[in-house]
Amino acid sequence: MSAIAAGSDQHAFSHPVRVYWEDTDAGGVVYHAQYVAFLERARTEWMRALGHGQEALRTRHDLVFVVRAMRMDFRRPARLDDALRVSVALTECRRASLVLAQAIHRDGELLLDAEVRVAALGASGFRPRGIPEPLYSELRSKQVRPD
């Protein structure tokens, strides 16, 4: 497990999430597919914090990022009413794709870690394309190296 997944990298972005009834199964445990939504929200808020909301990427750059592959390790369950921290760290920035390390913690305890690969597509035709400058340079400057 990398320092980023463990939550010790100070350059990782962190987004708070509260667990609601709609996120859980009948036993009050977060349903496994809901973690994907938590990770997506954090990636969206990370981009917004960089000044690049989803709508702006689409309209200004004809760009969308789509998940190409995801690996998740479920370590502990999250439960109803838990306050979670979902982190995002860019570990690889290529011309037309990104690799992000993500993790979900509750009170410092690692519940889930993930590696998410996203591809850059043209919003108008959903075909692969390069990330436009200066966005590419900005993203490269945010890249961190996992342990």
Side-chain angles (χ1 to χ4, degrees), residues 16-144:
V17 172
R18 175 73 65 183
V19 176
Y20 299 110
W21 272 118
E22 66 194 33
D23 303 319
T24 65
D25 62 16
V29 174
V30 171
Y31 180 66
H32 70 279
Q34 191 58 33
Y35 290 100
V36 174
F38 295 162
L39 297 173
E40 173 70 29
R41 287 180 206 164
R43 288 191 309 277
T44 296
E45 293 304 324
W46 171 69
M47 286 299 295
R48 187 184 322 277
L50 295 176
H52 305 286
Q54 299 289 351
E55 185 63 10
L57 287 173
R58 189 182 66 77
T59 58
R60 275 189 237 143
H61 300 290
D62 187 44
L63 179 71
V64 292
F65 288 109
V66 298
V67 173
R68 183 181 174 282
M70 183 180 288
R71 179 213 41 86
M72 295 190 300
D73 288 326
F74 297 90
R75 300 183 181 277
R76 300 259 191 258
R79 299 180 189 284
L80 179 65
D81 276 342
D82 280 353
L84 308 176
R85 301 292 310 174
V86 185
S87 63
V88 179
L90 177 61
T91 60
E92 189 176 333
C93 182
R94 294 185 167 180
R95 284 302 306 162
S97 65
L98 307 173
V99 178
L100 301 127
Q102 291 196 257
I104 299 177
H105 289 85
R106 177 189 54 227
D107 296 327
E109 178 183 26
L110 179 64
L111 305 182
L112 176 143
D113 61 292
E115 179 182 86
V116 182
R117 295 179 177 273
V118 298
L121 302 180
S124 55
F126 272 68
R127 308 273 304 155
R129 63 159 297 185
I131 300 167
E133 287 290 348
L135 178 59
Y136 175 71
S137 293
E138 180 184 355
L139 290 172
R140 292 235 357 135
S141 75
K142 304 298 182 198
Q143 185 172 310
V144 297

